[in-house]
Amino acid sequence: MKGPAIFAAALGVAALAGTAFVEHAIYGSTLSFSFDEADFETSDDLGPEPEIDPYAGWTRPEGPIRIALQAGHWKAAEAPDELERLRANGASAAGVSEWQVNLGIAEETKKLLEAEGFDVEILPTTIPPDYWADVFVSIHADGNKDTAVTGYKAASPRRDRTGRAAELARLLEQEYEKATGLPYEPNVTRNMRGYYAFNWRRYEHALHPMTTAAILETGFLTNPSDRRIIVHDKKKAARGVAAGILEYLKLHGPELD
Ligand SMILES: [Zn+2]
């Protein structure tokens, strides 16, 4: 096969694996990335609705507010067998892996929230079984073969037992845009809303159903202006994430319930 045919065949194989690779010359070096979609649950099989709601009488554990930030794809190689497919995915571009970007933003966000007096835990790919927090935000970065595609977006779980996750996602978007000036990118896929950590019916390593959760795509690693924020000015990105969480807690801090 000649060049284009080989390229098309390679793309076909990559697409079968749920991943697409593209090469591009940027900053004089090779850019290659994989789409992020493969880390999301793609099945509708969330399990049956229980006949009796086991959380009807649930009350929040006593103690200080707990905030969890997940650095998407961090320590992905350690994912448990039930999430084996997560072990080798995540975007990379311009010499940066997505998990590094996600972890950098998570660490800066943690500092900001701790300065406000909150307890913050950073989680890797593997969620401890039945993990509970007042607020959980999974931090990710996007990729697209079209390097002009730009922007952020957030999503809440398709099935949200807390009734508050959509509001958390909305406040994250509002504050993230204010802090970063990045545009909203409206392509929220059903795979985002079915993120594995949200799927406590299916996976042992998932959030407790009463954890209010959202996932944030902070920008496109494949876009130069997005990289100026999420790679080179991660404090700015973190200010947006922290402000979204703080706005949410103003409305739904435990004392205000
Ligand atoms: Zn990701």
Side-chain angles (χ1 to χ4, degrees), residues 35-37 39-40 72-73 89-91 98-99 102 138-142 195 215-217:
F35 288 123
D36 199 30
E37 294 171 4
D39 61 340
F40 300 119
H73 311 275
N89 68 7
E98 187 194 337
W99 70 265
N102 301 337
S138 184
I139 297 172
H140 285 258
D142 245 326
Y195 188 57
I215 178 169
L216 175 67
E217 292 284 356

Side-chain angles (χ1 to χ4, degrees), residues 2-191:
K2 294 287 181 203
I6 292 169
F7 183 65
L11 260 185
V13 170
L16 280 178
T19 312
F21 296 93
V22 165
E23 293 197 348
H24 238 272
I26 277 200
Y27 300 150
S29 64
T30 299
L31 164 69
S32 82
F33 72 93
S34 56
F35 288 123
D36 199 30
E37 294 171 4
D39 61 340
F40 300 119
E41 179 52 50
T42 54
S43 167
D44 264 334
D45 179 16
L46 300 182
E49 292 280 358
E51 286 183 20
I52 297 166
D53 180 358
Y55 301 100
W58 185 86
T59 53
R60 182 191 177 278
E62 301 231 342
I65 291 173
R66 286 180 60 179
I67 300 170
L69 305 169
Q70 184 187 38
H73 311 275
W74 184 35
K75 298 184 180 174
E78 297 171 19
D81 287 347
E82 65 174 353
L83 294 163
E84 188 184 0
R85 72 182 189 290
L86 302 180
R87 287 176 189 159
N89 68 7
S92 65
V96 190
S97 290
E98 187 194 337
W99 70 265
Q100 297 173 296
V101 173
N102 301 337
L103 182 59
I105 295 171
E107 284 172 340
E108 294 298 332
T109 305
K110 182 176 196 277
K111 282 183 211 164
L112 293 171
L113 292 169
E114 284 177 343
E116 298 289 324
F118 291 104
D119 290 339
V120 182
E121 184 170 18
I122 297 181
L123 299 177
T125 296
T126 305
I127 306 286
D130 222 23
Y131 183 89
W132 178 81
D134 290 286
V135 183
F136 169 93
V137 177
S138 184
I139 297 172
H140 285 258
D142 245 326
N144 196 296
K145 64 175 182 271
D146 179 356
T147 59
V149 175
T150 173
Y152 72 88
K153 59 190 170 240
S156 55
R158 195 154 59 225
R159 288 188 191 170
D160 168 35
R161 183 62 190 74
T162 69
R164 296 171 171 183
E167 188 163 39
L168 173 61
R170 183 183 66 77
L171 290 167
L172 281 168
E173 289 183 340
Q174 173 188 300
E175 297 303 317
Y176 192 78
E177 179 166 326
K178 247 191 248 175
T180 63
L182 288 176
Y184 177 66
E185 196 279 304
N187 184 30
V188 170
T189 61
R190 55 193 284 283
N191 298 337

